[in-house]
């Protein structure tokens, strides 16, 4: 019975892999401006925002970290509320990397280029790690596929961030709607493969603006000049107890320097 189950799982896995692979997209799509245009759902002058639950799994994918842009592996889940017209973002996140588990909340404001992070009742403020784009990115449709039985368009976005030299990403949007369902990221360097999958749940096409209100813990907190950096040694001890093994000591190198909400737009 176990053998049959294993064969069935392998069969399903192979068929899922064959059905969609970001590496199957011609890389020249990202290297030219041709074909990029404003999406009908998120035009240049539209008030674009969203609210969604999400789950993200990253394996060996390049992200900005305190040690530069390096491959990291982690899991993150939570909710996002974002409003690009007012340049405000809220993320309630749970982050797991190695033996460290971190729960917290993030607020980003483009008006004063400041972000706030609340972890274990302590609020810190820093300069914004990921600046808001001046407008909604342009899109290019590069294919079609299915998620289960749902038809989706495969689109890529035109970004200018410096780390796009390290990764390529695409989004799967339900055909005929304005609902993104999944985001896929892959390393450009094929000799050092890495992938990230981000799924969206209960997606709403506008922000929940009540989420942008800072809590009392962040009242009066002044920003420092540096970007947000998780002290994972302290966090791991608070969450998991006083564990001084080597894996916990090295967690600082394995976590992204900020919450990787930038994977969507």
């Amino acid at each position: 019975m176990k053998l049959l189950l294993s064969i069935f799982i392998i069969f399903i896995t192979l068929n899922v892999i064959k059905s969609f692979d970001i590496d199957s997209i011609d890389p020249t799509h990202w290297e030219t401006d041709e074909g990029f245009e404003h999406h009908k759902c998120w035009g240049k002058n539209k008030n674009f925002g969203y609210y969604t639950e999400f789950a993200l799994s990253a394996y060996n994918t390049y992200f900005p970290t305190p040690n530069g842009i390096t491959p990291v592996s982690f899991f993150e889940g939570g909710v996002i509320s974002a409003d690009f017209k007012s340049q405000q973002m809220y993320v309630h996140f749970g982050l797991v990397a190695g033996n460290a588990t971190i729960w917290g909340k993030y607020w980003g404001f483009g008006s004063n280029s400041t972000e706030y992070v609340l972890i274990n009742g302590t609020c810190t403020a820093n300069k914004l790690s990921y600046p808001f784009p001046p407008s909604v990115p342009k899109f290019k449709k590069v294919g079609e596929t299915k998620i289960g039985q749902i038809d989706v368009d495969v689109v890529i976005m035109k970004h200018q961030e410096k780390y796009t030299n390290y990764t390529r990403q695409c989004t799967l949007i339900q055909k005929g709607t304005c609902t993104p369902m999944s985001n896929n990221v892959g390393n450009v360097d094929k000799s050092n493969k890495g992938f990230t999958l981000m799924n969206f749940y209960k997606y709403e096409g506008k922000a929940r603006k009540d989420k942008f209100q800072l809590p009392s813990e962040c009242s009066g907190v002044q920003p420092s000049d540096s970007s947000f950096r998780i002290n994972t040694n302290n966090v791991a001890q608070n969450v998991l107890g006083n564990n001084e093994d080597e894996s916990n000591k090295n967690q600082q190198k394995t976590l992204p320097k900020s919450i990787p909400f930038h994977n969507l737009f």
Side-chain angles (χ1 to χ4, degrees), residues 14-148:
L14 289 175
N15 277 276
V16 169
I17 293 173
K18 287 163 58 179
S19 67
F20 180 76
D21 181 0
I22 191 170
D23 286 345
S24 66
I25 300 175
D26 187 342
T28 60
H29 282 303
W30 284 281
E31 298 166 3
T32 175
D33 291 333
E34 183 179 354
F36 283 94
E37 59 186 9
H38 288 291
H39 195 278
K40 63 180 182 180
C41 297
W42 308 295
K44 181 178 181 180
N45 297 319
K46 290 188 177 180
N47 183 11
F48 172 52
Y50 65 89
Y51 176 89
T52 187
E53 298 177 7
F54 73 96
L56 181 153
S57 295
Y59 169 73
N60 199 49
T61 311
Y62 283 100
F63 280 97
T65 76
N67 301 292
I69 301 175
T70 60
V72 293
S73 299
F74 61 94
F75 172 83
E76 184 184 7
V79 298
I80 301 174
S81 184
D83 188 320
F84 281 80
K85 185 176 182 179
S86 63
Q87 295 196 329
Q88 299 180 95
M89 179 170 285
Y90 164 83
V91 186
H92 188 180
F93 64 90
L95 187 66
V96 180
N99 292 327
T101 302
I102 303 165
W103 296 94
K105 296 181 179 181
Y106 170 98
W107 293 264
F109 301 97
S111 59
N112 60 0
S113 297
T114 303
E115 63 186 15
Y116 299 83
V117 180
L118 180 64
I119 296 177
N120 292 336
T122 299
C123 184
T124 57
N126 304 87
K127 65 180 182 181
L128 202 62
S129 297
Y130 300 104
F132 283 85
S135 62
V136 179
K138 292 184 177 181
F139 294 77
K140 179 197 289 188
K141 180 180 175 180
V142 296
E144 299 177 352
T145 187
K146 288 178 179 286
I147 295 181

Side-chain angles (χ1 to χ4, degrees), residues 65-67 70-73 97-100 229-234 236-237 243-256:
T65 76
N67 301 292
T70 60
V72 293
S73 299
N99 292 327
R229 180 177 180 132
I230 297 175
N231 185 339
T232 54
N233 287 333
N234 292 339
Q237 290 176 30
N243 187 343
E244 292 292 340
D245 61 24
E246 193 64 27
S247 61
N248 271 339
K249 292 179 181 179
N250 292 330
Q251 280 304 305
Q252 183 67 66
K253 298 181 179 180
T254 65
L255 289 174

